[in-house]
Amino acid sequence: MEQYFHLEERGSTVAQELRAGLTTFLAMAYIIAVNPAILGNPKVPLLTPIPMSALVTATCIGAGVMTILMGLFANRPVACASGLGINAMIASAAAGLTGGDWHAAMAIVFVEGVAILLLVLFGLREKIMDAIPVSLRHAISVGLGLFIAMIGLVNAGIIVPGAGTPISLGAVTNPTFQVGVIAIIATLIFAALKVNGSILLGILVAVLAGIPLGVTTQPEGIVSALDFSTFASPFQTDPAGVMGITKVLLNPTLLIFAFSLMMSDFFDTMGTALAIAKPGKFLSEDGKVENIKEILIVDSAAAAMGGFFGASSITTFVEASAGAADGGRSGLTAIATGILFIIAAFFAPLIAVVNTAATCGALVYVGYLMMSDCVEIDWSNILDGFPAFMIVAGICMTYSISDGIGMGFIAYVIVALVTGKVSKIKPMMWIAAAAFVVYFFMR
């Protein structure tokens, strides 16, 4: 085990890795309930309704299998699950474009995943990451830190839509708000006292505190049966006997939609990898993520497999940074998380008691850790500073990793052009900026 995972070299132990894997799982566990709720939304009438039991199975097995593969292949504490945002696009826009056929909707995900995988295998995705200026890499890390913290605060109802303002402070009397605050305080206390597993302990304290407050609900059951009816979705047929994959490949509109999903997946993972690498200690001084090629290969394959399983696009999860911050340093953390997801497929009702408010402290604390990259950006230099600012502000204010990165890339090209520093723009940055312009107009 030591020879494969290099635990001693990375300053870790088996116990530390397993604990970090549990922390990551608990931070991500909400997806087990949320993803089926989005894909099975009754307000989006599908041609053939997807059984909720099948969506739970697909979500758990898809996340489990791809996270285990990430641990084995990339050997980093990176975890995968169905991506929020993309699943909403699939449940709404894609459902409309496919005439309500969920087989075709999942085929769109499968096609975009295969396309991204080809780009990785040809080295394009890694070359784009290498072409990103160091200042922008640090900005992505800072932006992700704020984004992660914001996710935690929103999940706990501490940040809510305002009355006449985009956002506002939530109601202190709201039990969910109170559980979120307890999670932050507990995590902070454990971290300040340098208690091992401070993030995991913060989650557990919040779950327990949520019982008398009515936030941690009683499970509706313990064991759930597995339902594999969504597996091989792209190759299943509609009532007319047409496979979902056939519909996509023969419809230019659906192919364009797949490109839109690909852009989101393409750059979200870049940002997420940076977010996990920082606390996981596999980010170099110049902002490069170690083992990035292996991470991108598994992530790209996961996108395709998400469509195959019927779980929407599976991608690297930014919440995995909680496990990295809790001591995860190798693929053993990811393997532990993946095994827990597979076990959860049988015990989904029980796992559902870990509410999103309970993970608020973990995400806010990870956001704090990632702010240290601010000092690595030369804010006095407009070529470095302004695009970096656009990334930091854009990721958080648009609530989208890819949108924020796109705003920063385009800003970098514009500033370099007007300041006569075109030579600093690498060819792949030109391509990425141009692709983002197309992507934004397609939105």
Side-chain angles (χ1 to χ4, degrees), residues 364-395:
V364 169
Y365 185 72
V366 170
Y368 151 72
L369 294 177
M370 295 178 65
M371 293 305 293
S372 61
D373 270 13
C374 275
V375 299
E376 305 294 337
I377 301 169
D378 184 3
W379 298 103
S380 63
N381 181 348
I382 192 170
L383 181 58
D384 289 331
F386 185 78
F389 168 74
M390 291 303 296
I391 287 177
V392 173
I395 289 176

Side-chain angles (χ1 to χ4, degrees), residues 301-432:
M305 292 307 295
F308 182 84
F309 287 129
S312 183
S313 180
I314 297 175
T315 185
T316 52
F317 237 60
V318 74
E319 283 85 348
S321 55
D326 206 22
R329 297 291 179 267
S330 77
L332 186 57
T333 292
I335 292 172
T337 301
I339 291 173
L340 288 172
F341 264 112
I342 292 175
I343 294 173
F346 297 91
F347 300 97
L350 189 61
I351 302 300
V353 302
V354 181
N355 54 80
T356 56
T359 66
C360 175
L363 301 184
V364 169
Y365 185 72
V366 170
Y368 151 72
L369 294 177
M370 295 178 65
M371 293 305 293
S372 61
D373 270 13
C374 275
V375 299
E376 305 294 337
I377 301 169
D378 184 3
W379 298 103
S380 63
N381 181 348
I382 192 170
L383 181 58
D384 289 331
F386 185 78
F389 168 74
M390 291 303 296
I391 287 177
V392 173
I395 289 176
C396 191
M397 295 180 184
T398 65
Y399 214 70
S400 167
I401 299 171
S402 55
D403 287 356
I405 292 175
M407 291 165 66
F409 280 19
I410 294 170
Y412 186 85
V413 170
I414 292 173
V415 174
L417 285 171
V418 300
T419 56
K421 297 179 181 178
V422 179
S423 60
K424 288 184 173 288
I425 307 174
K426 294 184 179 181
M428 285 299 171
M429 272 296 286
W430 282 108
I431 294 173

Side-chain angles (χ1 to χ4, degrees), residues 24 28 67 70 75-81 140-142 144-145 148 268-283 288-290 292 295 299 315-330 333-334 366 369-370 373 401:
T24 296
M28 296 173 61
T67 299
M70 183 69 80
N75 195 16
R76 294 295 178 182
V78 179
C80 304
I140 292 171
S141 183
V142 174
L144 262 293
I148 291 168
D268 271 13
T269 301
M270 290 185 180
T272 303
L274 285 166
I276 302 169
K278 177 71 175 177
K281 309 296 184 185
F282 58 101
L283 187 69
K288 289 188 177 182
V289 179
E290 297 174 14
I292 187 59
I295 291 172
D299 175 83
T315 185
T316 52
F317 237 60
V318 74
E319 283 85 348
S321 55
D326 206 22
R329 297 291 179 267
S330 77
T333 292
V366 170
L369 294 177
M370 295 178 65
D373 270 13
I401 299 171

Side-chain angles (χ1 to χ4, degrees), residues 34-56:
V34 173
N35 192 51
I38 291 174
L39 294 177
N41 187 349
K43 294 181 180 179
V44 184
L46 298 173
L47 186 63
T48 306
I50 311 176
M52 192 60 66
S53 59
L55 289 173
V56 171

Side-chain angles (χ1 to χ4, degrees), residues 63-437:
V65 169
M66 298 316 301
T67 299
I68 291 172
L69 289 177
M70 183 69 80
L72 290 172
F73 191 60
N75 195 16
R76 294 295 178 182
V78 179
C80 304
S82 301
L84 288 175
I86 289 183
N87 54 10
M89 293 170 69
I90 292 299
S92 55
L97 291 173
T98 59
D101 181 8
W102 64 270
H103 304 104
M106 292 303 168
I108 294 173
V109 176
F110 182 79
V111 168
E112 68 97 3
V114 171
I116 292 180
L117 180 59
L118 291 175
L119 291 177
V120 173
L121 295 177
F122 282 110
L124 180 61
R125 206 173 182 186
E126 191 175 2
K127 287 178 181 177
I128 290 178
M129 285 203 74
D130 289 339
I132 301 173
V134 174
S135 60
L136 300 196
R137 293 179 197 168
H138 290 302
I140 292 171
S141 183
V142 174
L144 262 293
L146 289 173
F147 183 62
I148 291 168
M150 189 171 183
I151 290 173
L153 295 171
V154 169
N155 287 346
I158 296 174
I159 293 179
V160 297
T165 59
I167 58 175
S168 178
L169 185 68
V172 180
T173 54
N174 187 329
T176 303
F177 183 112
Q178 294 168 1
V179 170
V181 171
I182 291 170
I184 295 172
I185 293 174
T187 304
L188 179 61
I189 291 173
F190 290 129
L193 295 176
K194 302 186 184 305
V195 176
N196 288 334
S198 57
I199 294 177
L200 173 60
L201 290 173
I203 294 174
L204 295 177
V205 167
V207 170
L208 293 174
I211 296 174
L213 291 170
V215 177
T216 301
T217 58
Q218 184 176 345
E220 297 179 358
I222 297 178
V223 179
S224 56
L226 300 188
D227 182 346
F228 298 99
S229 59
T230 62
F231 280 46
S233 295
F235 304 98
Q236 293 186 34
T237 59
D238 64 9
V242 181
M243 286 195 300
I245 190 74
T246 302
K247 288 185 178 181
V248 174
L249 295 177
L250 297 180
N251 189 323
T253 301
L254 297 183
L255 289 174
I256 292 173
F257 189 83
F259 171 78
S260 178
L261 289 183
M262 184 183 75
M263 284 291 292
S264 181
D265 254 354
F266 194 98
F267 289 98
D268 271 13
T269 301
M270 290 185 180
T272 303
L274 285 166
I276 302 169
K278 177 71 175 177
K281 309 296 184 185
F282 58 101
L283 187 69
S284 64
E285 290 185 4
D286 61 354
K288 289 188 177 182
V289 179
E290 297 174 14
N291 298 109
I292 187 59
K293 185 172 184 178
E294 292 84 353
I295 291 172
L296 293 177
I297 287 175
V298 177
D299 175 83
S300 303
M305 292 307 295
F308 182 84
F309 287 129
S312 183
S313 180
I314 297 175
T315 185
T316 52
F317 237 60
V318 74
E319 283 85 348
S321 55
D326 206 22
R329 297 291 179 267
S330 77
L332 186 57
T333 292
I335 292 172
T337 301
I339 291 173
L340 288 172
F341 264 112
I342 292 175
I343 294 173
F346 297 91
F347 300 97
L350 189 61
I351 302 300
V353 302
V354 181
N355 54 80
T356 56
T359 66
C360 175
L363 301 184
V364 169
Y365 185 72
V366 170
Y368 151 72
L369 294 177
M370 295 178 65
M371 293 305 293
S372 61
D373 270 13
C374 275
V375 299
E376 305 294 337
I377 301 169
D378 184 3
W379 298 103
S380 63
N381 181 348
I382 192 170
L383 181 58
D384 289 331
F386 185 78
F389 168 74
M390 291 303 296
I391 287 177
V392 173
I395 289 176
C396 191
M397 295 180 184
T398 65
Y399 214 70
S400 167
I401 299 171
S402 55
D403 287 356
I405 292 175
M407 291 165 66
F409 280 19
I410 294 170
Y412 186 85
V413 170
I414 292 173
V415 174
L417 285 171
V418 300
T419 56
K421 297 179 181 178
V422 179
S423 60
K424 288 184 173 288
I425 307 174
K426 294 184 179 181
M428 285 299 171
M429 272 296 286
W430 282 108
I431 294 173
F436 268 118
V437 171

